[in-house]
Amino acid sequence: MQLPTPEELKDKRTELGLTQNDLAKRAGVSQPLIARIESGDVDPRLSTLRKIISVFEDVEREDIHVVNIMHTNVISAAPEDHIDIAVQIMEKHNISQIPVLSNGVPVGSISEEMIVRSMADKKKAAVSHMLIRELMGDSFPTVSPNTDINMVSHMLERNPAVLVLEKGQVVGVVTKYDVLKLLSE
């Protein structure tokens, strides 16, 4: 691993639109220290360099909005569909849960886990003919397309997906996998 040069640090700071003062505040160091590091007058401690790089990474993530990573082809089921339809959809797309939408509006969610749990109490034929609305759980949380990816990341810690709404209608979905893919870019 090669450490960035003073010029590279300055270039990165300006590329991200940060002033020396902004960077200093966010990194918890003084502005004169940032100026001295960028001019090559002082070699920063590794811990200081880590703070600066961490700020750069945070600022880069702030520029990512849900609209940049969401899937617009939202795979879903309707509350009036039978459970076997939800199972077929999940098998076809190799997913374990789907939102339940009524005229483009989220009303719940259905997952393999919910279906399997219900099968413990009922016969297979009875479960497959149940309506999704009889078994569905809460809807996935919703955000607007311009929501920052950091907020969505926190929501995904407790939910398998986040729906993206515009004018009350679902226009996209973001999953944990979508956020993980950002690491490889």
Side-chain angles (χ1 to χ4, degrees):
M1 176 176 118
Q2 186 175 336
L3 296 176
T5 66
E7 296 81 26
E8 290 171 335
L9 290 172
K10 181 178 182 178
D11 291 345
K12 186 67 170 181
R13 177 185 58 77
T14 54
E15 172 191 326
L16 294 172
L18 293 170
T19 64
Q20 287 181 345
N21 198 37
D22 293 335
L23 177 58
K25 282 181 184 174
R26 291 178 77 151
V29 298
S30 69
Q31 181 275 325
L33 178 59
I34 297 294
R36 292 184 68 204
I37 291 169
E38 288 183 354
S39 68
D41 289 349
V42 65
D43 285 331
R45 291 182 172 175
L46 187 55
S47 60
T48 302
L49 196 53
R50 280 188 180 141
K51 289 177 188 177
I52 291 170
I53 291 170
S54 178
V55 169
F56 290 164
E57 290 170 349
D58 288 347
V59 170
E60 286 176 331
R61 274 195 300 271
E62 287 172 3
D63 290 342
I64 301 172
H65 295 99
V66 171
V67 72
N68 302 118
I69 66 167
M70 72 180 188
H71 294 276
T72 55
N73 180 23
V74 180
I75 300 164
S76 65
E80 306 81 31
D81 290 341
H82 289 97
I83 294 296
D84 60 340
I85 298 294
V87 171
Q88 290 171 16
I89 291 169
M90 287 187 265
E91 284 178 348
K92 178 181 178 185
H93 296 283
N94 198 27
I95 53 179
S96 58
Q97 69 275 324
I98 53 176
V100 179
L101 307 180
S102 180
N103 297 318
V105 177
V107 294
S109 65
I110 188 78
S111 69
E112 290 174 342
E113 182 182 336
M114 292 172 192
I115 296 167
V116 169
R117 226 180 301 130
S118 71
M119 289 176 69
D121 301 332
K122 299 172 181 66
K123 293 186 178 185
K124 176 185 163 233
V127 172
S128 70
H129 288 91
M130 288 176 67
L131 297 178
I132 290 175
R133 72 168 172 252
E134 298 174 83
L135 200 57
M136 71 183 185
D138 293 336
S139 180
F140 301 134
T142 61
V143 296
S144 68
N146 62 350
T147 302
D148 184 82
I149 195 63
N150 290 330
M151 177 183 279
V152 173
S153 293
H154 291 300
M155 295 170 95
L156 288 170
E157 289 174 10
R158 294 174 299 285
N159 300 280
V162 174
L163 297 175
V164 184
L165 293 185
E166 194 166 49
K167 298 179 183 172
Q169 299 286 303
V170 173
V171 295
V173 64
V174 177
T175 64
K176 294 173 184 178
Y177 179 72
D178 299 320
V179 174
L180 290 175
K181 284 193 315 189
L182 292 172
L183 294 175
S184 64
E185 292 178 356

